[in-house]
Amino acid sequence: MTSGAPPAAAVVRSAPRPPVPTSMRRHRLVALAGLLVLLVGCCFASVAVGAKEIGIGDVWRAFVAYTGTENDIVIRSLRVPRTIVGVLAGAALGLAGALIQGHTRNPLADPGLLGVNAGAALVVVIGIYVFGVTSLLGYVWFAFAGAFAAAVAVFVLGSMGRGGPTPVTLALAGAAVTAMLGAFTSAIVLVDVQTLDAYRFWAVGALAGRDAAVAAQVAPFIGAGTLIAFASAPALNALALGDDVATSLGHDVRRTRFVGVVAITLLAGAATAACGPIAFVGLVVPHVARSFTGPDFRWLLPVSALLGAVLLLVADVVGRVVVRPAELQVGIVLALVGGPFFVWLVRRRKMVQV
């Protein structure tokens, strides 16, 4: 090699990005547009369908000619805030799932891998047992604090050692922290029946009873997490090629993983605080989204957000219909659907390539 030849890293960095085929770009745009239309339809169904039957005309009048009737109050004070919370939480969980699978390169990872659910559950139980918190608005702040503390602990433990945070160390740290926090949670609820009674209604995962105040509390955190997630998409594409290649392309791998943990914590922590622990959205959604977008995170992240919102709203509407006039909580519906999908996902190797 002559002295004037550029180093290998510079050659890799300056290599042009292969163009995206027009058919693939069109396919992705159609998927985004279709999901937007589907999300609007799901929002309308979420507002129109419930234990109380309300006609389409009455739903429309509740928005354009509000008169304070019982139907108007049900639509605007109960179902609309519930739908907004569902959109926010579903989008946040879908995004968080795509992020955690990208950062750990683990196709079976979900946001709970960072201990978010376990941390939120423990601090909610402490809030009920020690401080006597019984309202959803009170649970939100305790749950978010617990989720954030657990994610920080996992990242610190996973960062110990010469190699810093790696997919393996983060997964092992997350499993250890989750098991430890789960043991503390079980110990508290087993010694106090009143705490167990209050906690089990939050732990099942639900949108019922979530009002505009809950949506307002979690929206800033979800918005910040979404911005960070979209900004980190190019770095995630580089990490998918391996840490060494990402470093040669000019990305700080440790800083990228730290930013990813912050985004996942904001998104999953806020969603868990608002609705309780909801399983399978973060696991299922990225795999379905990847079938439309391919591995490019610049497209995968927005499609995962839309698909997560659609999935959560559909599950919530189904839960209101199947046992009418009662309701089946959205966490139960998703568990019934997500369990079989998880088994199918494991058995189909082509679906689990990240």
Side-chain angles (χ1 to χ4, degrees), residues 134 168 211 257 319:
T134 57
V168 174
D211 56 17
R257 287 218 169 88

Side-chain angles (χ1 to χ4, degrees), residues 3-353:
S3 59
V11 173
V12 173
R13 190 180 297 117
S14 61
R17 181 184 296 274
V20 178
T22 304
S23 59
M24 175 61 75
R25 190 186 303 274
R26 186 183 302 113
H27 184 68
R28 291 167 173 172
L29 289 173
V30 169
L32 274 175
L35 283 173
L36 281 172
V37 173
L38 184 58
L39 179 58
V40 172
C42 290
C43 289
F44 183 81
S46 179
V47 172
V49 177
K52 178 179 174 59
E53 294 188 9
I54 300 177
I56 302 299
D58 291 332
V59 173
W60 178 254
R61 281 190 291 273
F63 290 101
V64 301
Y66 182 81
T67 59
T69 64
E70 181 181 355
N71 287 343
D72 291 348
I73 294 173
V74 169
I75 293 296
R76 298 185 64 166
S77 299
L78 298 178
R79 293 186 184 175
V80 169
R82 177 176 183 166
T83 300
I84 294 173
V85 172
V87 171
L88 291 174
L93 291 172
L95 266 176
L99 288 174
I100 189 65
Q101 289 182 9
H103 279 285
T104 62
R105 296 198 292 276
N106 181 356
L108 301 181
D110 70 350
L113 187 68
L114 290 180
V116 171
N117 292 344
L122 175 60
V123 179
V124 165
V125 166
I126 292 174
I128 297 171
Y129 182 69
V130 178
F131 301 101
V133 178
T134 57
S135 67
L136 289 172
L137 290 178
Y139 294 162
V140 166
W141 295 109
F142 281 92
F144 188 79
F148 187 81
V152 169
V154 169
F155 185 81
V156 170
L157 290 174
S159 301
M160 291 181 177
R162 186 175 303 174
T166 66
V168 174
T169 58
L170 286 175
L172 291 175
V177 170
T178 297
M180 182 183 66
L181 296 180
F184 285 132
T185 301
S186 299
I188 296 175
V189 298
L190 287 176
V191 300
D192 188 85
V193 177
Q194 292 181 344
T195 300
L196 174 61
D197 288 339
Y199 166 70
R200 63 190 177 94
F201 289 106
W202 175 84
V204 72
L207 294 179
R210 273 61 179 180
D211 56 17
V214 173
Q217 285 181 333
V218 301
F221 299 105
I222 294 176
T226 301
L227 291 176
I228 296 173
F230 287 164
S232 66
L236 276 172
N237 284 336
L239 280 180
L241 303 175
D243 291 359
D244 293 337
V245 175
T247 301
S248 70
L249 292 172
H251 295 282
D252 186 330
V253 173
R254 180 173 297 194
R255 183 179 63 186
T256 298
R257 287 218 169 88
F258 173 77
V259 170
V261 169
V262 170
I264 294 166
T265 302
L266 290 171
L267 293 166
T272 304
C275 305
I278 295 179
F280 292 110
V281 175
L283 171 65
V284 170
V285 163
H287 288 282
V288 179
R290 202 173 286 113
S291 66
F292 292 105
T293 67
D296 191 341
F297 281 91
R298 296 172 301 172
W299 293 89
L300 177 63
L301 293 179
V303 169
S304 294
L306 291 174
L307 195 57
V310 167
L311 177 61
L312 197 61
L313 288 183
V314 169
D316 188 45
V317 172
V318 170
R320 300 184 217 177
V321 173
V322 292
V323 292
R324 185 183 284 183
E327 288 190 14
L328 193 63
Q329 304 300 337
V330 65
I332 299 174
V333 175
L334 286 171
L336 293 174
V337 175
F341 183 86
F342 181 83
V343 175
W344 178 73
L345 185 66
V346 172
R347 292 181 61 87
R348 285 183 63 89
R349 295 184 178 180
K350 292 183 178 180
M351 281 289 293
V352 300
Q353 299 297 325

